[in-house]
Amino acid sequence: MEPTPLVEQTPGDYSHINGWGIDADPRNEPTYPMKNYTGDDHQRINWERPPLQPVTVEVLHSNERPSLTAVFGTSSPPAGLSRAIRRYAFTFSESEYGHWLPLLLADRINVVEGLIDDLKRGHIPNIFAEKGWKADWKYNRKGLVQNVLVGVVVTTAVIALLRRKKGINNSH
């Protein structure tokens, strides 16, 4: 028995939808076969740049770009240990692992910093809800159980390895 597709594929007449299939005929595409040059393309070089967003928090940006983008997020500026790691990452080019791997590490550390901050403010986070485990249990039970088992095995192996090394160091 074949699995049922998530979205039912039914052929139908969609001609009643205004604009439906407008891109179906390649000859109706504006740049087919070659763009009709009007000279307007060069008019855009005279545009006035809109005012930039004011910088009210530290904004880390690529060392390959001379200035900040016109807009950027300010809701969660870099802070703590993850901030230091992000600063280090932005000293590297975007084409290097030295840029991306520290950013991944900083994201993970930022999660832990957020949990600590929540606990400091007296808020006990609902990790099960925030990680989406209720939805996983309902819609992806096998995947959730597999992820939990892998987590338990890895954690047990790390603890056993650390205890073994501690036992070896104490015997000398």
Side-chain angles (χ1 to χ4, degrees):
M1 184 172 176
E2 289 187 31
T4 307
L6 296 176
V7 177
E8 188 176 327
Q9 301 294 324
T10 57
D13 178 22
Y14 299 104
S15 61
H16 65 283
I17 300 173
N18 193 13
W20 182 266
I22 199 164
D23 57 350
D25 183 2
R27 291 169 292 171
N28 192 27
E29 203 270 320
T31 60
Y32 178 86
M34 186 175 223
K35 186 173 181 197
N36 182 17
Y37 179 74
T38 62
D40 288 336
D41 290 340
H42 295 292
Q43 296 299 330
R44 66 176 171 237
I45 62 172
N46 299 324
W47 70 288
E48 236 180 88
R49 185 175 181 140
L52 299 179
Q53 178 180 348
V55 179
T56 57
V57 296
E58 179 181 14
V59 179
L60 299 170
H61 66 94
S62 172
N63 60 12
E64 296 164 355
R65 301 186 195 325
S67 60
L68 294 176
T69 57
V71 293
F72 45 83
T74 59
S75 62
S76 56
L81 176 60
S82 61
R83 172 192 202 176
I85 294 171
R86 289 179 201 284
R87 282 181 175 166
Y88 171 77
F90 278 98
T91 63
F92 290 92
S93 168
E94 290 182 13
S95 64
E96 297 180 32
Y97 287 123
H99 178 79
W100 296 107
L101 293 178
L103 288 178
L104 289 171
L105 177 63
D107 286 345
R108 298 328 183 261
I109 290 173
N110 192 241
V111 169
V112 175
E113 289 172 336
L115 290 172
I116 292 169
D117 189 44
D118 283 348
L119 293 173
K120 278 185 190 175
R121 287 189 274 131
H123 172 73
I124 298 175
N126 184 349
I127 295 174
F128 296 107
E130 292 174 13
K131 298 280 290 169
W133 288 354
K134 183 178 178 183
D136 264 353
W137 184 253
K138 185 174 181 181
Y139 297 107
N140 185 22
R141 192 171 293 188
K142 181 181 175 187
L144 175 64
V145 169
Q146 182 179 355
N147 287 341
V148 169
L149 287 176
V150 167
V152 167
V153 168
V154 168
T155 303
T156 303
V158 167
I159 290 171
L161 184 64
L162 291 174
R163 284 186 177 173
R164 183 170 180 235
K165 282 187 177 183
K166 187 177 179 182
I168 291 172
N169 290 341
N170 286 343
S171 64
H172 287 109

